[in-house]
Structures are given as structure tokens and as C-alpha cells.
Amino acid sequence: MANKVNAAKKKVRKNERTRYERVVRHRQVLEREKYVEKALARTCNIYFVCFLLAVVLVVGATIWVFVAGGNNMLLLGINVAVGIVLVPLCIYQYNQYHHMAEEVAMARQASGFRFPEDYSARTRQARDRVAGVPGDYSRATLLYAGVTIIAVAVGIYLFSTSAHLTQSLTSLLLVAAVFVVAVIAFVMFLFNLLNYLDAIALQRALVKIEQDAEAEFGQKREVYVAQEDSEGGEDAAAAYDEAEDVVDQAADEVIEQA
């Protein structure tokens, strides 16, 4: 009889460990996809900001050329050409990342979805790019911070040292371009900084999920041990067989609710 109880005990513990790993893996996958969705949505917003900056640059420069007398048609043509390329590109990327963020959001709510196999090819590629570790974003954050500081310093220097700035269209546009670069660099700095902070938060969340699951399943094991101590012989074996079904059902319910 003791051998039967021990065999039932080992069986429950083995199955319990398997279910523990399933629950942890499922919760961590959903947490990681939540982070991916947030990063994709942020990238979408970045392209929207770039679209607005491109529109402001093109429209502002075009108006200034005509206000100045239209004597720099070459600069006007270059400016319009840049706008024709940059504005549609920003709109296209905005729509693409918007759809990918929606795809991830719907996948997180779907049952039986396989991550990342069931994503579209484009979403899988974007997911791999944004789901980086903090070190991937720390270098980019420092780089864009440096570019922002340099661009602002150059713009201020040009603006403060040119006495005829308002009379020279080329000089004014140069300063405007420098400040546009500074704004874009600052946006990218902020983007990478937020991704860096989210990547750190994700790593902490994954560890906490594992710790919470360990505590949750540890409490279940204490219940099974108490049942074993309070019951003997065939009752103990039956308790372990029943406990196996309880653990299995609890794990499935956790996965369905996650």
C-alpha cells in the first residue's frame, strides 16, 4: 500500500511540475506580447509625428519661398520633392504599424493562438525588432540624446551669430533644417528611452510571474501533503489521484483566464 501511495505522489508531483511550466510559459508569453503591442503602437505614433514634421517643413518652406519673392525655385523644387517622398512614406509606415499593433492585440485575446507562428510575416519581423533587451535600446538612447544636443547647439549658434539671418533665405532654411533634425532626434531619443524602460519592466514582470506561479503551486503542494498526512492507505492514494485532476483543472482554468 505504501508503494501505491508513493507512486501516486510521484505522479502528481511530476504532472504538477509540467503544469507549472505550462502556466508560467503561457503567462510570460502573454506578458511579452503585451509589451510588443505597446512597442508597435509607439512606433506607429513615431511615424505619425514624423509625418506632421514633414508636412510642417514642406508647407512652411514653400510658403517662405513665395513670400521671399520666389527667387529660389531650385530650393522650392528640392523641398517639394522631399515632401513627395517623405510624407507618403510616413503615412505608409504609420498604417503598417497600426495594423500590426491591432493584430497583436487581437491575438492576445484569441484562444489557441500560437505565438509567434500564427502572426503574419511582416508582424513577426517587426516583433523581432521591437522585442529587444534593455541593452539594445540603451545605446540608441545615448546616440539620439547626443544628436539632439549637438543639433540644438548648432542651431542656437547659427541663429545667434548670423546678423542677416532673416534676410537670407538659405541661412534661415539651414537653421530650420537643423532644428527639424533636433526635433526628430529628440523624438527618437524619447522613443528609445521609453522602449528601454519598458524592456526593463518586462524582464521584471517575467521574473515576478515565475515567482508568483512558484508560490501558487507551492501552496497546492502543501495542501496535498496535508491530505496525505491526514489520510492513510487507500484514502491517501485516492486523495492524490483526485489532487491530480484538481491541479490539471486549475492549470487549464488559469491558462484560459490569462
PDB file of all heavy atoms in Angstrom, residues 58 62 74-88:
ATOM      1  N   VAL A  58       7.604  71.044 -45.255  1.00  0.00           N
ATOM      2  CA  VAL A  58       7.329  71.281 -46.673  1.00  0.00           C
ATOM      3  C   VAL A  58       6.451  72.515 -46.860  1.00  0.00           C
ATOM      4  O   VAL A  58       6.749  73.399 -47.676  1.00  0.00           O
ATOM      5  CB  VAL A  58       6.681  70.039 -47.304  1.00  0.00           C
ATOM      6  CG1 VAL A  58       6.201  70.348 -48.720  1.00  0.00           C
ATOM      7  CG2 VAL A  58       7.662  68.886 -47.321  1.00  0.00           C
ATOM      8  N   THR A  62       7.777  76.068 -48.410  1.00  0.00           N
ATOM      9  CA  THR A  62       7.150  76.511 -49.654  1.00  0.00           C
ATOM     10  C   THR A  62       6.562  77.912 -49.513  1.00  0.00           C
ATOM     11  O   THR A  62       6.750  78.781 -50.384  1.00  0.00           O
ATOM     12  CB  THR A  62       6.059  75.512 -50.075  1.00  0.00           C
ATOM     13  OG1 THR A  62       6.636  74.215 -50.214  1.00  0.00           O
ATOM     14  CG2 THR A  62       5.417  75.934 -51.385  1.00  0.00           C
ATOM     15  N   LEU A  74      14.890  76.497 -57.334  1.00  0.00           N
ATOM     16  CA  LEU A  74      15.594  75.229 -57.157  1.00  0.00           C
ATOM     17  C   LEU A  74      15.355  74.682 -55.759  1.00  0.00           C
ATOM     18  O   LEU A  74      15.064  73.491 -55.580  1.00  0.00           O
ATOM     19  CB  LEU A  74      17.085  75.412 -57.411  1.00  0.00           C
ATOM     20  CG  LEU A  74      17.965  74.162 -57.185  1.00  0.00           C
ATOM     21  CD1 LEU A  74      17.522  73.028 -58.107  1.00  0.00           C
ATOM     22  CD2 LEU A  74      19.433  74.497 -57.380  1.00  0.00           C
ATOM     23  N   LEU A  75      15.466  75.565 -54.755  1.00  0.00           N
ATOM     24  CA  LEU A  75      15.216  75.146 -53.375  1.00  0.00           C
ATOM     25  C   LEU A  75      13.772  74.723 -53.204  1.00  0.00           C
ATOM     26  O   LEU A  75      13.478  73.747 -52.494  1.00  0.00           O
ATOM     27  CB  LEU A  75      15.556  76.291 -52.422  1.00  0.00           C
ATOM     28  CG  LEU A  75      15.394  75.996 -50.932  1.00  0.00           C
ATOM     29  CD1 LEU A  75      16.303  74.846 -50.522  1.00  0.00           C
ATOM     30  CD2 LEU A  75      15.690  77.238 -50.110  1.00  0.00           C
ATOM     31  N   LEU A  76      12.869  75.418 -53.871  1.00  0.00           N
ATOM     32  CA  LEU A  76      11.456  75.047 -53.814  1.00  0.00           C
ATOM     33  C   LEU A  76      11.235  73.657 -54.406  1.00  0.00           C
ATOM     34  O   LEU A  76      10.512  72.832 -53.836  1.00  0.00           O
ATOM     35  CB  LEU A  76      10.616  76.082 -54.553  1.00  0.00           C
ATOM     36  CG  LEU A  76       9.117  75.761 -54.676  1.00  0.00           C
ATOM     37  CD1 LEU A  76       8.475  75.699 -53.295  1.00  0.00           C
ATOM     38  CD2 LEU A  76       8.426  76.810 -55.542  1.00  0.00           C
ATOM     39  N   GLY A  77      11.862  73.377 -55.545  1.00  0.00           N
ATOM     40  CA  GLY A  77      11.712  72.076 -56.174  1.00  0.00           C
ATOM     41  C   GLY A  77      12.262  70.948 -55.323  1.00  0.00           C
ATOM     42  O   GLY A  77      11.640  69.890 -55.202  1.00  0.00           O
ATOM     43  N   ILE A  78      13.421  71.166 -54.704  1.00  0.00           N
ATOM     44  CA  ILE A  78      14.011  70.150 -53.826  1.00  0.00           C
ATOM     45  C   ILE A  78      13.099  69.897 -52.630  1.00  0.00           C
ATOM     46  O   ILE A  78      12.871  68.748 -52.223  1.00  0.00           O
ATOM     47  CB  ILE A  78      15.411  70.584 -53.365  1.00  0.00           C
ATOM     48  CG1 ILE A  78      16.369  70.653 -54.575  1.00  0.00           C
ATOM     49  CG2 ILE A  78      15.942  69.627 -52.303  1.00  0.00           C
ATOM     50  CD1 ILE A  78      17.741  71.189 -54.222  1.00  0.00           C
ATOM     51  N   ASN A  79      12.572  70.974 -52.073  1.00  0.00           N
ATOM     52  CA  ASN A  79      11.712  70.860 -50.906  1.00  0.00           C
ATOM     53  C   ASN A  79      10.442  70.071 -51.228  1.00  0.00           C
ATOM     54  O   ASN A  79      10.030  69.184 -50.468  1.00  0.00           O
ATOM     55  CB  ASN A  79      11.349  72.262 -50.403  1.00  0.00           C
ATOM     56  CG  ASN A  79      10.462  72.209 -49.176  1.00  0.00           C
ATOM     57  OD1 ASN A  79      10.848  71.647 -48.155  1.00  0.00           O
ATOM     58  ND2 ASN A  79       9.273  72.783 -49.276  1.00  0.00           N
ATOM     59  N   VAL A  80       9.829  70.378 -52.371  1.00  0.00           N
ATOM     60  CA  VAL A  80       8.623  69.663 -52.776  1.00  0.00           C
ATOM     61  C   VAL A  80       8.934  68.189 -53.071  1.00  0.00           C
ATOM     62  O   VAL A  80       8.164  67.292 -52.715  1.00  0.00           O
ATOM     63  CB  VAL A  80       7.989  70.338 -54.008  1.00  0.00           C
ATOM     64  CG1 VAL A  80       6.833  69.489 -54.541  1.00  0.00           C
ATOM     65  CG2 VAL A  80       7.495  71.739 -53.658  1.00  0.00           C
ATOM     66  N   ALA A  81      10.079  67.929 -53.698  1.00  0.00           N
ATOM     67  CA  ALA A  81      10.467  66.544 -53.994  1.00  0.00           C
ATOM     68  C   ALA A  81      10.643  65.734 -52.711  1.00  0.00           C
ATOM     69  O   ALA A  81      10.202  64.574 -52.618  1.00  0.00           O
ATOM     70  CB  ALA A  81      11.751  66.529 -54.815  1.00  0.00           C
ATOM     71  N   VAL A  82      11.290  66.355 -51.723  1.00  0.00           N
ATOM     72  CA  VAL A  82      11.458  65.680 -50.431  1.00  0.00           C
ATOM     73  C   VAL A  82      10.095  65.393 -49.802  1.00  0.00           C
ATOM     74  O   VAL A  82       9.848  64.304 -49.253  1.00  0.00           O
ATOM     75  CB  VAL A  82      12.326  66.529 -49.491  1.00  0.00           C
ATOM     76  CG1 VAL A  82      12.323  65.940 -48.085  1.00  0.00           C
ATOM     77  CG2 VAL A  82      13.750  66.612 -50.015  1.00  0.00           C
ATOM     78  N   GLY A  83       9.196  66.362 -49.892  1.00  0.00           N
ATOM     79  CA  GLY A  83       7.859  66.171 -49.331  1.00  0.00           C
ATOM     80  C   GLY A  83       7.091  65.067 -50.015  1.00  0.00           C
ATOM     81  O   GLY A  83       6.395  64.274 -49.368  1.00  0.00           O
ATOM     82  N   ILE A  84       7.216  64.972 -51.345  1.00  0.00           N
ATOM     83  CA  ILE A  84       6.507  63.941 -52.097  1.00  0.00           C
ATOM     84  C   ILE A  84       6.984  62.546 -51.691  1.00  0.00           C
ATOM     85  O   ILE A  84       6.206  61.590 -51.671  1.00  0.00           O
ATOM     86  CB  ILE A  84       6.702  64.168 -53.614  1.00  0.00           C
ATOM     87  CG1 ILE A  84       5.970  65.440 -54.050  1.00  0.00           C
ATOM     88  CG2 ILE A  84       6.204  62.972 -54.409  1.00  0.00           C
ATOM     89  CD1 ILE A  84       6.203  65.797 -55.499  1.00  0.00           C
ATOM     90  N   VAL A  85       8.242  62.413 -51.321  1.00  0.00           N
ATOM     91  CA  VAL A  85       8.784  61.109 -50.916  1.00  0.00           C
ATOM     92  C   VAL A  85       8.521  60.846 -49.437  1.00  0.00           C
ATOM     93  O   VAL A  85       8.075  59.750 -49.055  1.00  0.00           O
ATOM     94  CB  VAL A  85      10.295  61.036 -51.204  1.00  0.00           C
ATOM     95  CG1 VAL A  85      10.876  59.745 -50.643  1.00  0.00           C
ATOM     96  CG2 VAL A  85      10.552  61.145 -52.698  1.00  0.00           C
ATOM     97  N   LEU A  86       8.780  61.836 -48.587  1.00  0.00           N
ATOM     98  CA  LEU A  86       8.760  61.624 -47.141  1.00  0.00           C
ATOM     99  C   LEU A  86       7.350  61.492 -46.579  1.00  0.00           C
ATOM    100  O   LEU A  86       7.086  60.621 -45.745  1.00  0.00           O
ATOM    101  CB  LEU A  86       9.486  62.781 -46.445  1.00  0.00           C
ATOM    102  CG  LEU A  86       9.743  62.635 -44.948  1.00  0.00           C
ATOM    103  CD1 LEU A  86      10.578  61.384 -44.684  1.00  0.00           C
ATOM    104  CD2 LEU A  86      10.449  63.863 -44.394  1.00  0.00           C
ATOM    105  N   VAL A  87       6.439  62.348 -47.024  1.00  0.00           N
ATOM    106  CA  VAL A  87       5.077  62.323 -46.470  1.00  0.00           C
ATOM    107  C   VAL A  87       4.369  60.990 -46.753  1.00  0.00           C
ATOM    108  O   VAL A  87       3.848  60.367 -45.823  1.00  0.00           O
ATOM    109  CB  VAL A  87       4.264  63.524 -47.003  1.00  0.00           C
ATOM    110  CG1 VAL A  87       2.794  63.395 -46.603  1.00  0.00           C
ATOM    111  CG2 VAL A  87       4.835  64.831 -46.476  1.00  0.00           C
ATOM    112  N   PRO A  88       4.329  60.506 -48.007  1.00  0.00           N
ATOM    113  CA  PRO A  88       3.681  59.196 -48.228  1.00  0.00           C
ATOM    114  C   PRO A  88       4.377  58.050 -47.504  1.00  0.00           C
ATOM    115  O   PRO A  88       3.709  57.105 -47.059  1.00  0.00           O
ATOM    116  CB  PRO A  88       3.766  59.018 -49.752  1.00  0.00           C
ATOM    117  CG  PRO A  88       3.933  60.389 -50.297  1.00  0.00           C
ATOM    118  CD  PRO A  88       4.740  61.123 -49.274  1.00  0.00           C
TER     119      PRO A  88
END
